[in-house]
Amino acid sequence: MDAELAVLAGTAGTTLVTLLTTEAWQRVSDGITSLWRRAEPTRAEAISAELEVARTDLLAARDSGDAEVGGELGAEWQGRIRRLLVTHPEEAAALRRLIDELQPLTPDVPSVTQHATASGHARVYQAGRDQHIDQR
């Protein structure tokens, strides 16, 4: 998969989870479900139901103060969307349009972009959050 599609899947996963607990959640659900409806119609209803479960889980986690669930769900949906784009790259343009349409509804969340190059025996460690490295 090319890096651009991987970034697109990451943005989509984050946007989806960010908006699941807002008034825009139904628009997000409809948009993501329509991607599957075009690409893999037999899975569309299951995806819609899984989005409902994700929303319920996220709301419950927010109420209980569990801050980890959002990141976990974001990674889960990023993976699902990435796999969809691998098998149906023609859906990338529709996904970009959906993200552009949803962008004004997204609360201001800082964006992080990381780039790294390693050569030889070099190692690169990058993290968007805490990182603990224990080399022995």
Side-chain angles (χ1 to χ4, degrees):
M1 166 179 236
D2 92 13
E4 186 179 334
L5 289 182
V7 169
L8 178 61
T11 300
T14 301
T15 301
L16 182 152
V17 171
T18 299
L19 293 176
L20 273 182
T21 58
T22 70
E23 292 178 12
W25 80 270
Q26 191 61 55
R27 175 64 194 109
V28 172
S29 178
D30 292 347
I32 295 296
T33 301
S34 71
L35 287 173
W36 259 271
R37 190 167 286 118
R38 284 189 306 275
E40 298 179 9
T42 59
R43 293 196 55 220
E45 293 310 312
I47 289 296
S48 179
E50 290 168 20
L51 284 166
E52 293 279 343
V53 169
R55 174 179 160 74
T56 301
D57 290 349
L58 198 54
L59 288 168
R62 185 175 68 182
D63 290 345
S64 70
D66 186 348
E68 300 298 315
V69 172
E72 293 166 357
L73 286 172
E76 178 182 331
W77 282 98
Q78 175 183 345
R80 288 177 185 206
I81 293 167
R82 187 193 64 77
R83 289 187 301 275
L84 179 76
L85 293 175
V86 165
T87 56
H88 300 282
E90 70 278 4
E91 292 300 324
L95 182 57
R96 280 186 195 94
R97 284 191 302 274
L98 177 62
I99 291 170
D100 289 345
E101 180 183 315
L102 295 171
Q103 197 60 42
L105 306 173
T106 306
D108 289 331
V109 177
S111 174
V112 175
T113 302
Q114 298 179 346
H115 300 278
T117 303
S119 62
H121 296 288
R123 294 182 183 164
V124 175
Y125 300 95
Q126 294 180 301
R129 286 198 43 175
D130 298 347
Q131 183 177 56
H132 304 281
I133 300 168
D134 184 14
Q135 294 180 348
R136 295 176 193 226

